[in-house]
Amino acid sequence: EFGYKLTSSGECIRVIVPECKRNEDCPDYKFCSFETNTCEDPCKEHRCGVNAFCNATNHIAKCQCITGYVGNPLEICSKCP
């Protein structure tokens, strides 16, 4: 069965197949964690400024001001005049 192999002693053991080895193995909104070989959300640990949100694109986290606000999304976005 897929994900298992037979040892020389006839024991069936599970083989852990990595989810990814590079960013391109993951969807565009996730990146490959080289520590765990799993596809992770780059926004999970990323903090954006006030009135901003994180948008994961091209395997990286990018902060953007919410609609109707302008400024530096890493620090603070203010309401449009």
Side-chain angles (χ1 to χ4, degrees):
E1 188 174 325
F2 180 74
Y4 291 86
K5 74 174 186 175
L6 197 59
T7 65
S8 57
S9 62
E11 187 180 6
C12 192
I13 60 169
R14 186 165 188 237
V15 177
I16 297 179
V17 179
E19 183 178 10
C20 62
K21 291 185 179 179
R22 55 197 180 109
N23 284 336
E24 291 72 23
D25 296 334
C26 299
D28 185 58
Y29 58 90
K30 291 191 174 187
F31 74 99
C32 184
S33 169
F34 301 120
E35 294 173 8
T36 61
N37 291 107
T38 57
C39 295
E40 303 288 335
D41 181 355
C43 288
K44 186 177 176 184
E45 303 291 325
H46 194 77
R47 291 263 190 257
C48 294
V50 178
N51 297 321
F53 68 97
C54 185
N55 186 22
T57 319
N58 216 17
H59 313 289
I60 60 170
K62 182 172 170 120
C63 292
Q64 294 179 284
C65 293
I66 59 175
T67 303
Y69 287 74
V70 294
N72 181 346
L74 297 175
E75 294 176 13
I76 188 168
C77 297
S78 302
K79 196 156 183 69
C80 292

